[in-house]
């Protein structure tokens, strides 16, 4: 793992970065600034803030102190230059593309993604005139072939939901670089504890912080993190950043803010206008969650691997899709990109297809049947009838969410308790 | 402080910048603009706020005021020396400005982001 800080390691940064003691009160845990607006010193101070000539807080749709602390923590842990926290993971995906896209432009998208993202990009973005071009996740050449004059970004998911698919980050980053467009990686399932996509050449990272980062299934949120490395200056493909902005009185973001241009644009224009801001309360919950991310991820990964190994040996289990198993086609890529572990969200197929799958959902006791992942609790779901329901059968199969597929998100309970619950449920089939 | 000839001029480490700024109090800003959305205006406002003395230099606006400071037509008409010259001018103008900066005794020559001129970058290194 790349060194993020000259002095401190990842676990120390997870606890401390962005959240120094409050200078006014000495409060040690970071306060919730449940506040909307911030007093200007005078008219000139107000003007400087609105002109972005001075850092500071104006109004919480754009920036809030608690949300800013979360932005700093997440940007630090990913090794990025700046972050923009959003109301949800979906909002983060849209915000990530907003400075890059325009009507008629294209984003190349991996076909193995969270079902909601396939819908968002494939269907809803058409209303903006943004065209998503889906390609085979497992084939970097397919990405290269899909590049056109209109391509403005490539979007992939690391350890893709639901099947825990490991994508060849380095190969796809190379395609993006040659195409002269940024590579955006949804790193929700891996978290920066397991993999930092910037190390492999990604330009932007998005997360649904709803999952492992906040960690306990109690705060929806998202973030966009910029590596600060993409050359926007003078780049005519990206006029939002490289040309005078009509939406900000002719300010040229790349010229004025350098490697902070993308993050400044995301606050001053994207959040200002789209308004998908995170509440201070959710940011505070997520800040607390991240402090224990390393501990939880270690347990999620070891429990996940033990459960996958158990399932693989069961007579009424057809297959298990988990990159940590040697039988997985993603085992080698997993060793390269996720050496500490391949997460705890994965799928398996039960004998007897759809009917057996539903029976299994009803037979579990410790597992909760919910549409979420990355909780301390172990979760179970049948994607074809829920998260991936709005897709065509062909899209479902491509995404690894066919009729017989069950998705697990393994929690941090005692591993023997998790296994015995699955064991008794399988015996009910 | 590392030898200026050996550092990567596209990406300075924080420690190098800190070392430079420690000895800088006064800055002549060539190409300073009164228009708020130009980068020079941002930088000037920021530096003034941080307590630096900033002297705007711009022949087109000589005698006027930018951020409350009187504008000079060129570096040679400044009374006295400055610690640093910061330029917001096309890269072609850099070599000539470097010479003027050395003449008035400036120790640091700062070219703003996106302005690069290798020849101009080598000259002040030679002058020390
Ligand atoms: C990989 C991935 N990305 C994005 C999202 C969307 O995030 P949110 O539900 O926070 O909007 C999810 C949600 O399940 C996800 O699993």
């Amino acid at each position: 793992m790349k060194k993020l800080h000259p002095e401190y390691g990842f676990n120390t940064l997870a606890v401390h970065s962005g959240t120094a003691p409050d200078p006014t009160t000495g409060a040690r845990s970071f306060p919730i600034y449940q506040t909307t607006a911030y007093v200007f010193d005078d008219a000139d101070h107000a003007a400087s803030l609105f002109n972005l000539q001075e850092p500071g807080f104006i109004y919480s749709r754009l920036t809030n102190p608690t949300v800013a602390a979360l932005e700093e923590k997440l940007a630090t842990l990913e090794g990025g230059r700046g972050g923009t926290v959003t109301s949800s993971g979906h909002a983060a995906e849209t915000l990530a593309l907003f400075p890059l896209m325009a009507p008629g432009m294209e984003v190349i998208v991996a076909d193995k993604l969270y079902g909601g993202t396939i819908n968002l990009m494939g269907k809803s973005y058409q209303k903006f005139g943004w065209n998503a071009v889906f390609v085979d996740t497992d084939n970097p050449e397919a990405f290269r072939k899909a590049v056109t004059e209109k391509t403005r970004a490539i979007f992939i998911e690391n350890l893709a939901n639901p099947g825990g698919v490991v994508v060849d980050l380095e190969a796809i980053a190379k395609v993006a670089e040659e195409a002269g467009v940024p590579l955006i990686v949804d790193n929700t399932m891996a978290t920066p504890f397991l993999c930092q996509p910037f190390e492999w050449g990604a330009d932007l990272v998005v997360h649904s912080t709803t999952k492992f980062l906040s960690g306990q299934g109690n705060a929806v949120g998202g973030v966009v993190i910029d590596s600060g490395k993409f050359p926007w200056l003078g780049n005519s493909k990206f006029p939002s950043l490289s040309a005078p902005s009509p939406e900000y009185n002719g300010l040229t973001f790349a010229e004025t803010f350098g490697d902070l241009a993308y993050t400044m644009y995301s606050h001053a224009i994207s959040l200002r206008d789209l308004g998908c801001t995170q509440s201070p309360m959710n940011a505070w919950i997520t800040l607390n969650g991240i402090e224990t991310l390393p501990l939880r991820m270690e347990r999620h990964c070891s429990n996940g691997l033990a459960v996958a190994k158990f399932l693989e040996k069961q007579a009424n289990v057809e297959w298990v899709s988990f990159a940590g198993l040697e039988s997985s086609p993603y085992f080698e890529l997993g060793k390269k990109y996720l050496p500490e572990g391949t997460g705890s969200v994965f799928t398996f197929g039960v004998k007897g297809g759809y009917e057996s799958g539903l029976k299994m959902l009803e037979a579990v006791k410790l597992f909760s049947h919910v549409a979420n992942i990355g909780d301390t609790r172990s979760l179970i779901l049948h994607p074809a009838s829920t998260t991936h329901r709005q897709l065509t059968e062909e899209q479902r199969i491509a995404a690894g969410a066919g009729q017989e597929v069950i998705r697990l998100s393994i929690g941090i309970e005692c591993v023997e308790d998790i296994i015995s619950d699955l064991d008794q449920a399988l015996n009910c089939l | 402080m590392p030898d200026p000839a050996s550092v990567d001029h596209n990406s300075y480490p924080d420690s190098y910048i800190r070392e430079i700024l420690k000895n800088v109090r006064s800055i002549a800003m060539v190409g300073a603009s009164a228009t708020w959305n130009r980068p020079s205006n941002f930088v000037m406002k920021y530096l003034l706020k941080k307590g630096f003395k900033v002297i705007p230099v711009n022949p087109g606006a000589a005698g006027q005021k930018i951020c409350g400071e009187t504008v000079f037509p060129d570096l040679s008409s400044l009374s006295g020396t400055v610690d640093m010259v910061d330029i917001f001018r096309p890269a072609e103008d850099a070599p000539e400005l470097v010479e003027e900066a050395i003449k008035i005794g400036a120790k640091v020559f700062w070219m703003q982001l996106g302005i690069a001129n290798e020849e101009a970058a080598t000259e002040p290194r030679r002058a020390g």
Side-chain angles (χ1 to χ4, degrees):
Chain A
M1 198 181 273
K2 193 185 82 187
K3 204 156 167 46
L4 296 172
H5 189 273
E7 239 175 303
Y8 300 124
F10 188 93
N11 300 3
T12 307
L13 294 171
V15 174
H16 289 281
S17 62
T19 48
D22 182 62
T24 309
T25 62
R28 189 57 195 88
S29 155
F30 201 84
I32 311 175
Y33 286 87
Q34 193 63 50
T35 49
T36 305
Y38 307 87
V39 176
F40 305 125
D41 299 341
D42 51 39
D44 190 49
H45 178 225
S48 292
L49 285 169
F50 273 98
N51 281 354
L52 309 176
Q53 291 177 311
E54 201 174 310
F57 299 101
I58 300 176
Y59 184 66
S60 286
R61 177 159 23 87
L62 288 79
T63 46
N64 166 281
T66 309
V67 175
L70 178 58
E71 287 169 338
E72 188 175 336
K73 196 182 276 295
L74 286 164
T76 302
L77 294 180
E78 284 287 7
R81 186 70 181 94
T84 309
V85 156
T86 58
S87 53
S88 71
H90 263 352
E93 291 166 25
T94 302
L95 219 77
L97 289 168
F98 194 65
L100 315 177
M101 297 291 282
M105 296 302 134
E106 295 166 1
V107 51
I108 300 174
V109 185
D111 62 355
K112 290 196 176 66
L113 292 178
Y114 163 57
T117 302
I118 297 177
N119 267 324
L120 169 66
M121 300 207 172
K123 300 268 166 44
S124 291
Y125 282 171
Q126 284 180 6
K127 296 190 176 183
F128 303 162
W130 298 358
N131 300 318
V133 181
F134 288 91
V135 299
D136 180 5
T137 307
D138 299 324
N139 181 5
E141 265 321 295
F143 286 81
R144 192 186 310 279
K145 288 210 188 90
V147 173
T148 73
E149 274 300 295
K150 292 180 177 162
T151 306
R152 290 295 176 271
I154 296 179
F155 186 98
I156 60 176
E157 209 171 282
N158 194 16
L159 206 55
N161 184 355
V165 168
V166 185
V167 186
D168 194 345
L169 289 173
E170 200 172 17
I172 297 172
K174 198 146 170 276
V175 174
E177 192 183 357
E178 283 168 20
V181 300
L183 172 63
I184 308 173
V185 177
D186 181 337
N187 201 30
T188 300
M189 301 267 281
T191 81
F193 178 73
L194 296 179
C195 177
Q196 291 153 9
F198 294 151
E199 231 188 306
W200 302 104
D203 300 289
L204 296 160
V205 161
V206 299
H207 283 278
S208 164
T209 60
T210 318
K211 318 300 180 192
F212 294 102
L213 288 167
S214 76
Q216 297 175 46
N218 49 19
V220 172
V223 67
V224 186
I225 301 158
D226 177 27
S227 65
K229 301 250 170 69
F230 194 87
W232 311 113
L233 193 67
N235 192 331
S236 61
K237 269 189 184 165
F238 303 102
S240 293
L241 297 165
S242 64
S245 279
E247 57 293 37
Y248 221 97
N249 305 61
L251 183 69
T252 302
F253 280 81
E255 189 185 33
T256 300
F257 299 114
D259 60 3
L260 271 174
Y262 182 93
T263 301
M264 291 299 285
Y265 186 94
S266 296
H267 286 84
I269 291 179
S270 307
L271 281 181
R272 182 197 70 180
D273 293 353
L274 302 179
C276 45
T277 306
Q278 186 169 123
S279 77
M281 182 70 199
N282 277 19
W284 184 80
I285 290 170
T286 307
L287 277 174
N288 285 327
I290 295 171
E291 292 183 9
T292 58
L293 176 75
L295 290 175
R296 287 185 287 105
M297 289 313 285
E298 278 172 16
R299 180 63 64 82
H300 278 298
C301 287
S302 63
N303 281 0
L305 180 61
V307 172
K309 282 185 171 160
F310 161 79
L311 286 173
E312 199 175 31
K313 286 189 287 216
Q314 304 311 302
N316 43 7
V317 169
E318 202 114 46
W319 53 263
V320 180
S321 169
F322 183 70
L325 294 175
E326 279 178 51
S327 59
S328 165
Y330 300 108
F331 184 71
E332 289 305 321
L333 284 175
K335 276 204 300 201
K336 173 171 176 183
Y337 294 115
L338 302 135
E340 311 282 329
T342 53
S344 82
V345 177
F346 60 95
T347 50
F348 69 100
V350 277
K351 287 204 175 116
Y354 187 67
E355 294 303 318
S356 301
L358 292 191
K359 244 193 232 162
M360 176 104 197
L361 293 183
E362 276 155 26
V364 288
K365 297 196 179 97
L366 184 63
F367 275 79
S368 305
H369 180 194
V370 299
N372 194 20
I373 53 171
D375 195 331
T376 46
R377 286 151 278 263
S378 289
L379 313 175
I380 189 164
L381 184 89
H382 182 241
S385 60
T386 55
T387 51
H388 290 64
R389 189 183 186 88
Q390 274 93 36
L391 305 183
T392 63
E393 187 59 18
E394 191 186 325
Q395 279 178 312
R396 272 197 287 268
I397 289 167
Q403 294 296 341
E404 85 288 13
V405 178
I406 292 179
R407 182 183 75 186
L408 300 178
S409 171
I410 302 301
I412 61 173
E413 304 100 328
C414 295
V415 69
E416 54 279 13
D417 296 341
I418 301 170
I419 288 175
S420 80
D421 191 32
L422 291 172
D423 194 26
Q424 65 81 21
L426 284 167
N427 287 332
C428 295
L429 302 187
Chain B
M1 188 155 120
D3 172 11
S6 66
V7 298
D8 170 9
H9 287 275
N10 289 313
S11 162
Y12 298 129
D14 291 350
S15 54
Y16 182 63
I17 293 178
R18 202 173 300 127
E19 197 60 34
I20 288 176
L21 291 181
K22 212 171 68 187
N23 299 313
V24 169
R25 289 286 117 233
S26 56
I27 300 165
M29 183 175 284
V30 184
S33 168
T35 310
W36 81 266
N37 68 16
R38 300 304 303 148
S40 63
N41 193 277
F42 274 67
V43 173
M44 180 161 175
K45 214 164 179 177
Y46 184 83
L47 290 171
L48 286 170
K49 195 107 195 169
K50 293 285 168 196
F52 292 95
K53 177 170 176 50
V54 185
I55 304 155
V57 176
N58 184 338
Q64 297 169 21
K65 292 207 175 208
I66 298 178
C67 300
E69 302 294 324
T70 304
V71 183
F72 283 76
D74 49 39
L75 285 174
S76 54
S77 53
L78 298 186
S79 48
T81 182
V82 290
D83 301 318
M84 175 165 123
V85 171
D86 183 6
I87 70 157
F88 289 80
R89 298 292 310 147
E92 309 85 82
D93 294 358
E96 197 183 317
L97 287 165
V98 165
E99 265 175 46
E100 281 187 46
I102 292 170
K103 253 185 235 155
I104 64 163
K107 290 277 174 286
V108 182
F109 192 76
W110 189 288
M111 300 199 269
Q112 210 57 35
L113 196 70
I115 305 171
N117 184 318
E118 266 307 314
E119 185 200 342
T122 329
E123 197 48 44
R125 278 181 242 149
R126 237 182 273 136

